[in-house]
Amino acid sequence: MSSTLVCLMLIAAPAAPAPDDARPAVFRITPLRPVAELRREALAATPPREPGPFKPVDLVELTKLDAGIRLDIRYATSDNFLGVPVYEQARAFLQRPAAEALLRAQRALAADGFGLLIHDGYRPWWVTKVFWEATPASGHAFVADPAQGSRHNRGCAVDLTLYRLADGKAVEMPSGYDEMSERAAPGYAGGPAEARRLRDRLRAAMEREGFKVFATEWWHFDYAGWRDYPILNVSFDAIGRR
Ligand SMILES: [Zn+2]
């Protein structure tokens, strides 16, 4: 390896440590059936048909908006509630108006020393079908019914948390991501006061820009215009090639 190449690799390395130090234990369910089997079936299935009209699809890759927007795409790793990777690529997209609103929230939070750490954005419909069918009925408040589609499927929902710009570390929140418990509710009154304050700070910044927090998940936000977009089933690597 040439010294020039080594030098370039060092420059390309992230400046801050991976934002995982405050990460609580990953919440897991026992999938009702093997995920590989559910995946095969879901990929062969067809999303529900909805009458339009819909706005044109214009999915924007979030990391291209601002260097302060970072990714921790759990579904591309085993660190998720199913315990196996579901995505083949760690990428995040939103429809353009939602992406622009997210960027405004990012800039407001940066003034307070925080960045946005994205867990998920646009999610192909077949993944929603896998989540629903893997999850016992007791957890169905936390996963979307594929017969309705998820707002993630429309490119209008985002799962995210905050990290500190000073050290790149994710902040502590009242629950872990995708934890199917009462602690995940945005109004949960327990846990450390500082964690609740940061949860509420994230929510205020997002809701000011037209997102609405989900009733059972402090990390999930729906963009106001989600009804204008269709349920999509396109893979990440096909986005921009259509
Ligand atoms: Zn979500």
Side-chain angles (χ1 to χ4, degrees), residues 123 152 158-159 217 219-220:
R123 176 185 304 161
H152 282 289
V158 60
D159 297 340
E217 302 175 347
W219 59 82
H220 174 112

Side-chain angles (χ1 to χ4, degrees), residues 5 59 73 81 94-95 102 111 129 133 169 193 198 204 220:
L5 183 55
L59 290 167
I73 307 295
F81 75 106
L94 286 175
Q95 301 287 358
L102 187 82
K129 185 166 165 65
E133 289 174 0
K169 292 180 181 169
L198 294 173
H220 174 112

Side-chain angles (χ1 to χ4, degrees), residues 154-179:
R154 302 173 195 274
C156 289
V158 60
D159 297 340
L160 78 177
T161 189
L162 298 175
Y163 73 91
R164 290 180 208 282
L165 294 176
D167 59 10
K169 292 180 181 169
V171 305
E172 182 186 358
M173 288 294 195
S175 82
Y177 175 52
D178 272 351
E179 182 178 309

